[in-house]
Amino acid sequence: MLSSQNLVTTTRGVSGGTFVVHPEPGHISSYLQASFSLMTTSTSGSVRDLLEIRELLEVPAAGLAATRRTAAHLEQMRATLFDPRAVDVGHVFEDNRNFHVTLLVAAGNPMLEAMTRPMFGVLNERFVRDQAPSRFWFRVDRDHRQILAAIEAGDADAARQAQHEHLEHLRATYTRIDRQRRRRPG
């Protein structure tokens, strides 16, 4: 069981044995994503729960990013911005996720990324973004630009506020998509 969770490895031979594996962030994220995914398909987890966790993690992270970011972080965040008039749903989720991941990296705490990345995976699996109205992507773009401006300015309070407002804007669309998904047979 420990081997299946990538916590130990066993090798054969004279110098073989069972050894504890140094956990890799990717393994931890994969395990958490599978667990979160199972929870959200049952009645014990909901879109509300996912957004609440994102708020608990990402709002403070935005404040940290405003004070700890580097020029490279700012450049990476700028590279994720998109033109909402030319949305390619296949790429926009990746850009959206990369914006948030870069924000988390800029916060300077690797555990934030390891804990939050699985939620992005579950949200990607669970929500079909092409069901979002076009105004959704205009709002995402505007929100990301406000968050980035606050981080660029080094204004931790404004960054936290902009991130909080962004997650509030997502709530209605994600809730509607989740409700529609749950109504579909199969």
Side-chain angles (χ1 to χ4, degrees):
M1 184 171 144
L2 293 174
S3 180
S4 71
Q5 294 177 355
N6 297 310
L7 297 174
V8 297
T9 185
T10 303
T11 57
R12 299 182 196 270
V14 177
S15 62
T18 300
F19 304 94
V20 174
V21 174
H22 178 67
E24 296 290 326
H27 292 141
I28 294 167
S29 289
S30 294
Y31 175 77
L32 287 173
Q33 182 172 333
S35 298
F36 291 157
S37 186
L38 287 171
M39 286 181 71
T40 61
T41 57
S42 71
T43 57
S44 65
S46 70
V47 67
R48 186 191 86 242
D49 297 331
L50 286 169
L51 289 172
E52 189 172 88
I53 292 298
R54 283 189 67 185
E55 184 162 347
L56 289 169
L57 296 173
E58 290 184 65
V59 169
L64 291 172
T67 61
R68 298 178 177 173
R69 81 330 186 233
T70 65
H73 294 134
L74 294 174
E75 186 177 318
Q76 290 172 337
M77 290 176 79
R78 276 188 221 103
T80 67
L81 299 176
F82 56 88
D83 179 355
R85 293 169 296 187
V87 169
D88 174 356
V89 177
H91 291 286
V92 77
F93 177 76
E94 186 176 332
D95 287 339
N96 182 47
R97 182 193 63 221
N98 289 341
F99 178 88
H100 290 277
V101 168
T102 303
L103 182 149
L104 293 164
V105 169
N109 184 334
M111 291 185 133
L112 279 169
E113 180 185 352
M115 293 173 65
T116 308
R117 191 180 282 270
M119 282 181 278
F120 296 141
V122 171
L123 288 168
N124 186 39
E125 291 170 357
R126 189 160 177 184
F127 299 104
V128 181
R129 298 315 189 290
D130 61 356
Q131 293 178 357
S134 61
R135 71 182 179 281
F136 173 80
W137 297 114
F138 281 89
R139 189 61 192 237
V140 167
D141 176 62
R142 185 173 51 228
D143 288 353
H144 283 187
R145 290 176 192 277
Q146 288 175 341
I147 295 164
L148 178 57
I151 291 172
E152 284 177 320
D155 188 338
D157 290 335
R160 284 189 294 269
Q161 183 63 34
Q163 181 64 35
H164 169 75
E165 289 172 5
H166 174 56
L167 293 172
E168 283 300 312
H169 298 148
L170 297 178
R171 186 175 313 278
T173 300
Y174 280 16
T175 300
R176 182 185 55 76
I177 292 171
D178 187 52
R179 204 175 308 121
Q180 289 172 346
R181 183 191 63 82
R182 288 179 186 266
R183 280 192 220 139
R184 281 190 215 115

